[in-house]
Amino acid sequence: MIKVLEKQVSDKIAAGEVVERPLSVVKELIENAIDSGADSIICEIKQGGKLSIRVTDNGCGISAEEVETAFLRHATSKITTANDLNSLETLGFRGEALASIAAVSRVELLTKTTEEKVGTSLIIHGGETVQKKQTGCPDGTTIIVNDLFYNTPARLKFLKSDGAESNQIIDFMSQIALCYINIKFRLISNGQIVFSTNGKGDRLSTIASIYSNIDIKNLVNIHEENGGISIDGYISTPVMSRPTRNMQIFFVNGRVIESKIIEKGIKKGYKERLFEGRHPITFIFLDIPANTLDVNIHPNKRQVRFDQDDRIVEIVEKSIINALSTKDSVVRMADSVKTKIEEIPTFHFEEKQDEIDIKKLLSTDSDHAIFEEEKIDFQEAAKVSPNCCIELKESFEKPFRFDELNYLGTIFNTYILAQDNNTFYMFDQHACHERINYEKFVNQYNNEVKFKQPIMVPFIVNTSFETNITDNWVSVLDNIGFTLEEFGFNVFRITEIPTFMSIQEAQSFIDDFLDNLKEDIYMANTVVIDKLIMKSCKASIKANDKINMEEIKGLMDQLSKCVNPFSCPHGRPTFVKMTKYEIEKIFKRV
Ligand code: ADP
Ligand code: MG
């Protein structure tokens, strides 16, 4: 027998599609609050949203005669005709959220428009109105969702732990607060403030109030515009990195997305400034013409397809390279000490533990005392932000100027000292040299013309593997400036070396090159070749070489011409800085 389902049954089925877990409820309620024009939104959850979710806004409110309509399926104030779909300016438009949420929970609505003298309260249990009455309340809307899925036990069973559910909500709220920087957001979990933003439209201080574990002193602004695409945001300098990409957040046209394309741009732009396996923290906001973007390739809308991947990669890469070539991104002496510690593997573990712990604490209310400490941190973070902002803006987009440096000499036969107007610098002679040679090798490899010099007394090398002159590694060496001749079984004679090397340098380079080569003598791919050059470069330069002023200037001149003068090919900094202000602080002059 075929029959039309009762409203209650069909509502429950439909609700299943919209409301999957507490996060879905939060998402719908927050989007409604944003659509209402509110500039202050508070979200409060208990037990990961399972026990209750309350969202309060100071937006337009719903008038007394419309409160029940709002809970009907396909009831919306946001569109009237199908045509309106083409010019949507709101986040919602299906008119399904409130109906769906109400069908699977106990909902209480408190709302008042500015025109009304009194507000309305409406209570709905499992889709049925239980009570409607007038009530005193401020302008705006509060929706409380209690006992989610109380009447759909199957759904309830699928929920994760309170901690896991609230983590999802914290992530979502963080991202939405980052996106809508003109709205004040506050998130409360089990009675404790997770974060609150000031809604003053400043992205950096918003980041500081949401992510208390990020030192915003180590973030630099990125900004680039090209042919209708614009990119804006913040990335961490090399002193602040993470073992995963979890802290790389991307928005495209105001929506959070995941994107391998943007990750590729970050990787290219950041190249060599970090050790393998470390990732910068990034907050990237891309704005691109809507018609060059497909957001409907995945139901969760987290994946998008760009018309021109290459252009996206390029603009991301370029914005990062520009930002990292400013004085701001030179490693601070104090921070560089910290980086060293960070590179010890066990630290990563602790760092991760830390993140999990904080969130767990927030969501389970297990330890009050520690949470209090966290709260102080949020406030602290918010306090420092305005200053940092000014500091960053001041020097924004000014590329680092080598020609403004004044060289003072060296210490320990290894470190070159220099200063400009208000900053003191220390260069690692060895790392600088390594960077210079590395770029020369790579250029030589890519260039048609090779700069080789014949040597008076050719040197002999013995390979530890079976090979002959036609093997690939010989032509790679030839390409970077060495001429090899066969000189017996697995023995070769080097008759020419690159012009920029001394014989000793060339010898240790070749030794290391052959060592690193091992069995992979056919290396066909450029990544392998690049790595090999990178590794072998290191051996070619000795520290503890006393150099005079003339040589310092020569070295610095070459460094300044490098594509990336800021770090050696392995990701170590070539130089660090300490500002006059920092020095004055050490001596308690300020
Ligand atoms: P949609 O957002 O797709 O329109 P919803 O079911 O989420 O559908 O909401 C239905 C209607 O209820 C909205 O169109 C809006 O008019 C009203 N509404 C919901 N939440 C709020 C709010 N926080 N403030 C003002 N009006 C609201
Ligand atoms: Mg909605």
Side-chain angles (χ1 to χ4, degrees), residues 4 24 69 141 157 179-180 274 322 498 501 531 540:
V4 175
S24 347
T69 321
T141 304
K157 265 205 299 230
C179 196
Y180 292 87
L274 283 176
N322 283 350
M501 292 195 117
K531 280 220 170 103
S540 68

Side-chain angles (χ1 to χ4, degrees), residues 28-29 31-36 55 57 59-62 66 69-72 75-79 91-100 109 111 140-143:
E28 293 296 342
L29 297 184
E31 290 188 349
N32 280 348
I34 294 172
D35 284 345
S36 80
V55 172
D57 66 56
C60 64
I62 306 170
E66 286 190 328
T69 321
F71 284 90
L72 294 179
T76 178
S77 58
K78 298 168 193 176
I79 56 169
L91 295 168
F93 59 86
R94 291 188 191 82
E96 276 186 321
L98 290 188
S100 301
L109 166 79
T111 188
T141 304
T142 294
I143 295 188

